């Protein structure tokens, strides 16, 4: 999957044009409401892609804003953007499933990451590594693929989600990004119950499904759902 995401990195401006409006109207306001005041926090953005959210929390006054991703190409784009427009963010290559303890963070972000876990063990490892990088009382915020999406292929702002009918946990499906040419990557279906179970097995004390703000009228099934989990 690294090759596919390296290709996405090369065409990230295509994605910005397609997803920018939804991101700024829905995803970012919902995330910041759940996160609360950012100033002075230490934030780890696990699976940061090209670093937009890492740099956002840096601009908002985070004491430390660290973004990690398994794709070296994504990290290179993030570093290039940071060099040209400094926001106080730093970046490193790590996979969320096996990243070391990089600090004791107030918050870990895992935005559209968990649905790439290939099996239940990998999903649990992702949750465990996020938990290991949090300070006591710290918060994980994760956008996860909505398990209640209609049977695919279904298009959301140009992103095509192609799922089979009645999927089981761990079943594969395809995400096709509207780059030129289009880029398809594999993902996995995980129910809310399985995600909650993995988080609790990793040591999180509470799991909350957060409301989304700014959903356009007529959109009944947003592509991603937002959850928060607290380290007790």
């Amino acid at each position: 999957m690294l090759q596919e995401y390296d290709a996405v990195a090369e065409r990230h401006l295509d994605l910005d044009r397609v997803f920018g409006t939804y991101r700024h109207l829905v995803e970012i306001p919902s995330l910041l409401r759940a996160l609360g005041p950012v100033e002075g926090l230490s934030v780890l953005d696990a699976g940061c892609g090209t670093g937009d959210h890492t740099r956002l929390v840096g601009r908002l006054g985070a004491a430390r804003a660290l973004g990690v991703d398994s794709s070296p190409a994504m990290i290179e784009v993030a570093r290039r953007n940071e060099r040209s427009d400094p926001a106080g963010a730093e970046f490193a290559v790590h996979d969320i499933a096996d990243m070391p303890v990089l600090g004791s963070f107030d918050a870990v972000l895992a935005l559209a990451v968990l649905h790439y876990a290939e099996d239940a063990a990998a999903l649990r490892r992702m949750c465990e590594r996020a938990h290991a990088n949090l300070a006591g009382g710290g918060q994980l915020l994760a956008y996860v693929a909505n398990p209640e999406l209609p049977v695919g292929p279904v298009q959301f702002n140009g992103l095509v989600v192609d799922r089979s009918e009645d999927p089981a946990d761990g079943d594969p499906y395809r995400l096709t990004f509207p780059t030129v040419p289009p880029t398809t990557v594999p993902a996995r279906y995980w129910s809310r119950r399985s995600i909650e179970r993995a988080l609790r097995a990793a040591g999180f004390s509470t799991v909350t499904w957060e409301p989304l703000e700014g959903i356009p009228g007529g959109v009944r099934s947003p592509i991603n759902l937002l959850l928060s989990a607290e380290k007790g």
Side-chain angles (χ1 to χ4, degrees), residues 7 59 103-104 111 113 121 130 133 151 175 180-181 188 208:
R59 288 193 192 94
S104 183
L111 308 179
V113 174
N133 275 278
V151 174
L175 299 173
V180 181
R188 299 280 174 161
T208 303

Side-chain angles (χ1 to χ4, degrees), residues 2-209:
L2 274 179
Q3 290 181 338
E4 289 91 341
Y5 265 93
D6 286 349
V8 172
E10 294 172 2
R11 304 160 188 152
H12 69 282
L13 293 179
D14 293 343
L15 301 186
D16 291 342
R17 284 191 289 271
V18 173
F19 297 131
T21 298
Y22 184 83
R23 182 178 295 163
H24 287 284
L25 289 179
V26 178
E27 291 194 343
I28 290 175
S30 302
L31 176 69
L32 294 180
R33 180 205 51 77
L35 180 59
V38 175
E39 187 171 2
L41 296 183
S42 56
V43 181
L44 171 63
D45 187 2
C48 68
T50 56
D52 291 348
H53 295 95
T54 321
R55 287 163 40 76
L56 173 63
V57 295
R59 288 193 192 94
L60 292 174
R64 185 185 185 194
L66 171 62
V68 302
D69 199 279
S70 61
S71 166
M74 289 281 194
I75 291 298
E76 178 51 38
V77 172
R79 287 172 172 163
R80 186 167 67 238
N81 291 340
E82 179 65 17
R83 287 193 298 269
S84 64
D85 180 22
E90 55 183 309
F91 297 96
V93 177
H94 291 290
D95 188 323
I96 184 176
D98 57 17
M99 64 182 175
V101 174
L102 300 167
S104 183
F105 293 88
D106 299 302
V108 172
L109 311 181
L111 308 179
V113 174
L114 298 183
H115 52 254
Y116 294 117
E118 294 184 352
D119 52 33
L123 179 62
R124 180 168 173 173
R125 284 199 308 274
M126 290 180 176
C127 297
E128 288 173 344
R129 300 321 301 158
H131 186 273
N133 275 278
L134 280 168
Q139 181 184 29
L140 168 68
L141 286 167
Y143 272 115
V144 300
N146 185 353
E148 285 87 39
L149 289 178
V151 174
V154 181
Q155 187 175 108
F156 296 84
N157 286 54
L159 174 67
V160 177
V161 181
D162 191 0
R163 282 186 185 161
S164 61
E165 190 171 0
D166 297 324
D169 283 323
D171 279 358
Y173 65 95
R174 295 185 301 277
L175 299 173
T176 300
F177 292 89
T179 56
V180 181
T183 304
T184 298
V185 300
R188 299 280 174 161
Y189 172 89
W190 297 105
S191 66
R192 293 195 196 206
R193 181 178 179 182
S194 292
I195 293 170
E196 291 177 10
R197 184 165 55 238
L199 289 165
R200 291 197 170 92
F204 288 97
S205 57
T206 61
V207 181
T208 303
W209 294 93

